């Protein structure tokens, strides 16, 4: 976290008092950090309400088809490595590689790993990795506990996964162009 804060101060986005604080770091700031530290450019998708996220499924599906990079939702950083000419985004459920940044405004941070989009019906499901899990890397526990899995915008009991009264910024890292 200090390196991220230091980078934001270095590029002039934040004042020096920001270092060591618990102030919010959003998708736009994260895009600055990924660009500065790793040379990874990003697109930002603004969604004014969680109710509008399903409308973005086609665009998100295209991102996963063309870029293949995870999408950070409201304050999640992914560590990137470039072995050889390949691009990889590494995740570890024990938080050694994925860093969780405190999300503000009652909105939780997630990583979107994929979407299941039905062109004919417009139906969409989101493959969500929740970074709040702190247990052992036990796949069964992670899946059955709902820490990683397919989520519908509205579940079978009528509950909204994404809050309708909150806006969301989605950070879509772009694959580097390797020469």
């Amino acid at each position: 976290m200090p390196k991220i804060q230091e980078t934001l101060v270095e590029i002039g986005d934040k004042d020096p008092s920001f270092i060591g604080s618990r102030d919010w770091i959003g998708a736009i700031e994260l895009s600055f950090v990924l660009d500065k530290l790793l040379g990874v450019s990003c697109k930002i998708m603004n969604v004014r309400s969680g109710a509008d996220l399903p409308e973005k499924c086609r665009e998100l599906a295209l991102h996963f088809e063309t870029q293949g990079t995870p999408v950070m939702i409201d304050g999640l950083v992914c560590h990137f490595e470039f072995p050889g000419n390949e691009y990889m985004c590494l995740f570890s459920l024990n938080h050694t590689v994925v860093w969780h940044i405190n999300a503000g405004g009652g909105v939780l941070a997630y990583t979107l790993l994929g979407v299941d989009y039905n062109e004919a019906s417009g139906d969409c499901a989101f493959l969500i990795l929740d970074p709040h899990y702190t247990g052992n890397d036990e796949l069964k526990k992670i899946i059955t506990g709902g820490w990683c899995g397919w989520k519908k915008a509205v579940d079978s009991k009528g509950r909204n996964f994404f809050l309708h009264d909150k806006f969301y910024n989605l950070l879509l890292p772009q694959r580097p162009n390797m020469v």
Side-chain angles (χ1 to χ4, degrees), residues 101-133:
I101 296 175
N102 291 331
V107 179
L108 296 176
Y110 297 108
T111 300
L112 181 60
L113 300 176
V115 293
D116 181 15
Y117 177 66
N118 183 316
E119 286 270 348
S121 69
D123 192 32
C124 184
F126 302 88
L127 181 56
I128 300 286
L129 172 66
D130 186 338
H132 302 93
Y133 177 75

Side-chain angles (χ1 to χ4, degrees), residues 154-174:
V154 179
D155 70 13
S156 60
K157 295 180 182 175
R159 294 177 298 208
N160 297 314
F161 184 76
F162 299 107
L163 303 176
H164 286 200
D165 63 341
K166 303 293 180 186
F167 74 90
Y168 290 84
N169 285 324
L170 285 70
L171 182 70
L172 292 78
Q174 304 299 293

